[in-house]
Amino acid sequence: MGVLWSCLSRLECARCGRELPADRPAGLCPDCHGPLLARYDLEAAGRVFRPSDVAGRPTSLWRYREVLPVQGPAGVVTLGEGWTPLVRLDRLRERWGLAELFVKDEARLPAGTVKARGAAVGVSRARELGLRRLVIGVAGNAGAAWAAYCARAGLALTVFMPADAPPGRAAEARLAGAKVILVDGSPDNAASQAQRAGAESESFDVSAFREPYQLEGVKTLGYELYEQLDWRPPDAIVCPVGNGAVIAGIWKALNEMETMGWIPGRKPRLIGVQAAGCAPVVRAFEEGADECRPWADGETVARELRVTDPPAGFLALQAIRETGGWAVAVTDSEVRDAMRLTASTEGLVLCPEGAAAAAALDRLAQAGVVLPGNRVVILNTGTGFVDPPGPTEALPVVRPVQIPPL
Ligand SMILES: *Cc1c(COP(=O)(O)O)cnc(C)c1O
Ligand SMILES: [Zn+2]
């Protein structure tokens, strides 16, 4: 028997429920082209894997190895990802009368964004399954993260990225040895190009929701959050939504923890935040639809939210509805104001996408979705220094004054 490492049991299509074996590389569902999700023997996991066992483990996302797909320690490709701080915002919380307000600060991850979680687990599992060449279509941040982990794992990576992505992201991916191809249009177009390149070459497409394992890395956000809150559920978790992996990953974590008997059935409201310039999930939520219609010409300063046709839009909508949550869009000027407010009151520089989540609090309070006395977590999904849309006025240059000696 030995030590139980991973309880991975199979893959399951998120749309039609078809099951597939998890012991070989798999992309989309062969029947309906829906995304595949990793499933575990949670009954077995729940018998041997308790929150108290996790408490003494190393502070990385691998502490949840029983519910991760990698089969043993030799398969782990790591740059020290996970266990980001949950920072309390006591000055800002008073603005909405909240009992507690936290930011889960993903800026501290390798390559500076939440994408490190998906890349760490996705690259580890790809290598374990024998894949050698990967291709990915990204908005920007995922390119830097996957390039870093592929370099470490010795895998070849080609990245398709929009030509107007922050130039630092392409430079970082190149520095890590990835081949970067800039394309016109949205992140969705980059993902289409990656899919075509994958079909025409020996490379395996690892764009969001085209393979099942990166979501497993992302979901550790949900496990960590609960562990850092001493397993007391918050009232709401406010998530920026681009492809939908962050919100769908947290929802998957909540369901798994409930099945293992770790947390009560009452779940926090999952709140999806998008930019007014690209809000397909918010529009579908308001229309009562189960699926998103593609958004025409997405544009926003929160560039990771410029996904016009989110591959997991339907999962984001399920997560929001089944937790009694809400979907809301914020304007670019609200994003900039929230960045300034959080930096100046709490010393925390958010990325534009995290600032979108912070900006949503005003609207959520007005709508009564978040109430005085609530405990709320907002996600800062990355560093604010990649592409800061902050104040652009030049500072005046002042001639230094000679200070006479005393
Ligand atoms: C990817 C990303 C998001 C959105 O996450 P999805 O899983 O695509 O919904 C938000 N913020 C940052 C900084 C990101 O890199
Ligand atoms: Zn299917």
Side-chain angles (χ1 to χ4, degrees):
M1 287 283 290
V3 178
L4 189 61
W5 183 268
S6 167
C7 295
L8 179 67
S9 63
R10 63 195 191 283
L11 302 175
E12 186 184 66
C13 174
R15 285 195 181 278
C16 75
R18 172 159 175 186
E19 297 200 347
L20 293 166
D23 60 355
R24 64 207 71 166
L28 296 172
C29 172
D31 289 345
C32 75
H33 300 110
L36 298 175
L37 302 177
R39 297 296 185 203
Y40 299 82
D41 183 349
L42 292 175
E43 223 172 275
R47 277 197 301 273
V48 297
F49 176 44
R50 310 293 319 167
S52 54
D53 300 319
V54 180
R57 291 184 181 177
T59 49
S60 82
L61 61 75
W62 300 101
R63 69 205 268 109
Y64 309 109
R65 65 186 190 226
E66 284 86 347
V67 288
L68 290 174
V70 175
Q71 297 298 299
V76 171
V77 180
T78 180
L79 287 163
E81 53 288 330
W83 208 252
T84 54
L86 191 63
V87 181
R88 196 180 273 277
L89 304 187
D90 278 337
R91 280 157 61 87
L92 211 47
R93 106 187 133 71
E94 290 171 8
R95 187 180 163 104
W96 303 283
L98 301 173
E100 287 179 294
L101 176 63
F102 298 93
V103 166
K104 179 77 169 147
D105 194 11
E106 299 285 286
R108 327 289 178 99
L109 289 167
T113 71
V114 66
K115 296 298 188 296
R117 293 183 189 270
V121 175
V123 167
S124 296
R125 186 66 179 148
R127 190 181 65 170
E128 195 173 61
L129 290 172
L131 296 170
R132 289 288 167 263
R133 311 184 66 80
L134 308 180
V135 59
I136 191 168
V138 303
N141 289 341
W146 282 77
Y149 285 93
C150 280
R152 203 158 168 87
L155 305 188
L157 177 69
T158 302
V159 179
F160 288 89
M161 192 184 284
D164 59 359
R169 299 276 85 170
E172 232 178 310
R174 282 207 180 102
L175 199 58
K179 180 175 173 193
V180 178
I181 300 170
L182 299 179
V183 297
D184 281 337
S186 66
D188 310 70
N189 189 41
S192 306
Q193 300 290 332
Q195 189 165 33
R196 216 177 51 194
E200 289 170 358
S201 72
E202 295 290 283
S203 297
F204 189 84
D205 182 8
V206 293
S207 307
F209 291 98
R210 299 257 179 77
E211 67 79 51
Y213 297 115
Q214 60 195 283
L215 185 68
E216 299 306 290
V218 177
K219 84 178 179 191
T220 59
L221 242 180
Y223 281 86
E224 273 179 29
L225 240 168
Y226 264 69
E227 194 177 354
Q228 290 171 322
L229 289 171
D230 288 327
W231 307 102
R232 292 178 306 137
D235 296 295
I237 303 175
V238 188
C239 313
V241 178
N243 292 300
V246 167
I247 195 165
I250 290 176
W251 187 48
K252 189 169 190 282
L254 295 176
N255 287 320
E256 288 176 1
M257 290 191 287
E258 185 189 349
T259 304
M260 290 189 291
W262 287 18
I263 62 170
R266 185 184 79 80
K267 295 198 179 66
R269 295 175 170 210
L270 293 184
I271 292 159
V273 180
Q274 297 200 293
C278 187
V281 172
V282 176
R283 179 174 63 189
F285 178 77
E286 288 172 353
E287 288 173 349
D290 295 334
E291 298 280 348
C292 298
R293 287 181 286 124
W295 191 270
D297 298 327
E299 198 43 67
T300 165
V301 292
R303 298 202 213 198
E304 295 285 329
L305 308 187
R306 248 180 358 156
V307 181
T308 57
D309 191 9
F314 72 108
L315 290 177
L317 289 163
Q318 283 173 22
I320 292 165
R321 293 216 173 92
E322 292 189 18
T323 60
W326 195 260
V328 59
V330 296
T331 64
D332 282 357
S333 92
E334 288 174 304
V335 168
R336 287 198 185 87
D337 287 348
M339 253 181 125
R340 204 172 295 126
L341 179 69
T342 312
S344 62
T345 56
E346 300 281 6
L348 205 60
V349 177
L350 305 178
C351 61
E353 298 78 13
L361 282 172
D362 278 337
R363 294 179 180 238
L364 294 167
Q366 277 160 21
V369 178
V370 159
L371 300 169
N374 277 179
R375 303 170 70 232
V376 176
V377 178
I378 62 179
L379 304 181
N380 182 41
T381 38
T383 166
F385 302 108
V386 168
D387 188 23
T392 49
E393 323 85 62
L395 288 175
V397 178
V398 177
R399 189 180 295 274
V401 177
Q402 285 293 337
I403 300 172
L406 288 174

